[in-house]
Every structure is written in structure tokens, then in C-alpha cells.
Amino acid sequence: MLDSIHTYDRAAQIYDRAHRRWLHFAGGEAQFAFEGAVTALLQPSMKLLDAACGTGTVARRLLKTMHHRLDVTLLDASKNMLSQCRDLKAARVLCRLQDLPFADQSFDLTTCAWGLETLPDPAIGLRELIRVTRVGGTVALVFCANRKTRSLFDYGLSKHVAVTGRGQFLDEKDVIHMTSRFCRSDIRLLHSTGPAAALVIQRVGEKR
């Protein structure tokens, strides 16, 4: 895999246009399911971490939905991507997903859209996302998934994501299994088709 931080630094200015193409042709159902589930969980003053926030698209929508009554922290490893979030009323943290600089159980809700698959070892990032989410809180994920593509165009987009260093395609069963290793949880795999998956993980306790 190419160095994904440099890849996203270079792509920051044009990322939203390229990502909209990915959502339109491949990942849109999973994104829609993910955003719907997260929106249903929102409460005023909730402490939310948007990890691998990119240009802030998800956080921007959530803040608008809650009339900015959220305590939001944005985190990304790409300085140029994070700079696209300057308009948002949120703390901004430049850091890798594998080394979150927060205490255990710091957030009520942790989201990660299209970030887990960019890591050399997704398990480390997932463990960190769970660690910083409080017991009773929720981790919501959407990621490129190793599923059967629906068309040649899907297939081509999937190959482009991998070849350009934007990520690998994860097996959702592996992600669920990893989660069960790190904490006691209730896990929902949201309905979607195409090469993308969305999971909602409610953390119900520490791993015994």
C-alpha cells in the first residue's frame, strides 16, 4: 500500500469531487445507512469524535442537524485534509488513527468514515476507536468492503482505490471478529450493497 497520508495530502483539494464519484457508483448505500444510524443517535451536547474526518463532510452534516449543539473533535492524519475543516466549530487534532491522543472512554459517539481501511493494520485503529468510546457509547464505521461488485464500473473503482493507495477492502466478518476481541458489544451490520459496509458498535462493557 502506498503512504496514505501523503496520498491524501496531495488529494485534499480535489478529494470531495472524487469521493462523490465513489459514493455515487459504489459506496453510497453504505454511507447513507451510516449517516442515518449516526443521526438517530445524536443528542444535544454529546461528545463526538470524527476520526479520519477528511474534509469534514460528515461532521458538517451532523453539526447542521443538531444546530451546532454538539461537542465535536475532528481528527485526521493529513494536515491538508484537516485544513479543509477550518469552517467548522470543532476542535481539530492532527494525529494518526492508530495513536489517538485521548483518555479511555472520552467520547459518547465515535465515527470513522472511510478511514479504517487506509491503515496497514486496521485492528490497531479499531482498538483505539473502541478504547476512547465510553461504555454505553457507540462506534459507527463505514468502510470499503471485500464484497462482490455489482458491475464492471464497481470493479474498476475498487481497483482504483487500492492501486492509488487510498485503502484496502476489508471483510466485515473480520471487523466484527476484531471488535469482539476488544470489548463486549452489540454490533449491527447495516444493510447495503456494493463494495462497502457500515457497522454500528454499541460498547456494552469491558472485555472479560
Side-chain angles (χ1 to χ4, degrees):
M1 186 185 300
L2 301 174
D3 186 329
S4 61
I5 296 176
H6 291 164
T7 298
Y8 283 101
D9 270 339
R10 291 193 300 269
Q13 295 292 333
I14 62 170
Y15 174 81
D16 284 345
R17 183 169 69 250
H19 190 59
R20 280 195 296 271
R21 185 165 63 249
W22 162 256
L23 294 180
H24 179 74
F25 290 106
E29 284 190 30
Q31 177 82 18
F32 183 79
F34 162 83
E35 289 196 17
V38 170
T39 300
L41 292 167
L42 295 179
Q43 297 180 22
S45 302
M46 176 176 276
K47 293 189 68 175
L48 183 148
L49 171 65
D50 185 8
C53 66
T55 61
T57 302
V58 171
R60 200 169 278 109
R61 290 172 182 155
L62 298 181
L63 282 164
K64 183 177 180 180
T65 296
M66 292 300 293
H67 305 285
H68 296 270
R69 293 180 298 163
L70 291 172
D71 181 357
V72 176
T73 298
L74 303 173
L75 180 141
D76 205 277
S78 166
K79 181 179 180 180
N80 291 347
M81 295 288 274
L82 199 59
S83 71
Q84 303 297 310
C85 305
R86 289 190 299 264
D87 62 304
L88 294 175
K89 186 180 179 182
R92 297 190 302 276
V93 179
L94 180 65
C95 187
R96 300 191 314 160
L97 189 55
Q98 304 97 309
D99 301 300
L100 299 182
F102 310 113
D104 295 356
Q105 301 193 50
S106 293
F107 298 96
D108 303 305
L109 175 61
T110 300
T111 64
C112 184
W114 314 109
L116 199 64
E117 67 270 47
T118 67
L119 305 179
D121 186 350
I124 297 175
L126 179 60
R127 183 175 60 198
E128 281 290 275
L129 294 171
I130 292 169
R131 179 185 67 79
V132 301
T133 305
R134 68 172 176 83
V135 173
T138 304
V139 178
L141 309 170
V142 60
F143 52 88
C144 297
N146 187 19
R147 292 175 167 179
K148 184 178 180 180
T149 54
R150 297 168 295 184
S151 67
L152 285 175
F153 196 85
D154 270 9
Y155 178 79
L157 273 177
S158 300
K159 286 296 183 182
H160 178 73
V161 168
V163 169
T164 57
R166 288 180 169 86
Q168 57 187 305
F169 285 75
L170 308 178
D171 187 322
E172 63 254 41
K173 293 180 181 178
D174 290 342
V175 177
I176 291 170
H177 177 69
M178 285 188 284
T179 301
S180 68
R181 286 166 42 202
F182 301 141
C183 71
R184 292 168 52 219
S185 58
D186 291 329
I187 305 172
R188 283 189 294 143
L189 176 63
L190 306 180
H191 175 73
S192 66
T193 60
L199 288 177
V200 174
I201 303 162
Q202 183 181 16
R203 186 177 178 186
V204 299
E206 300 288 353
K207 184 65 180 177
R208 292 174 180 172

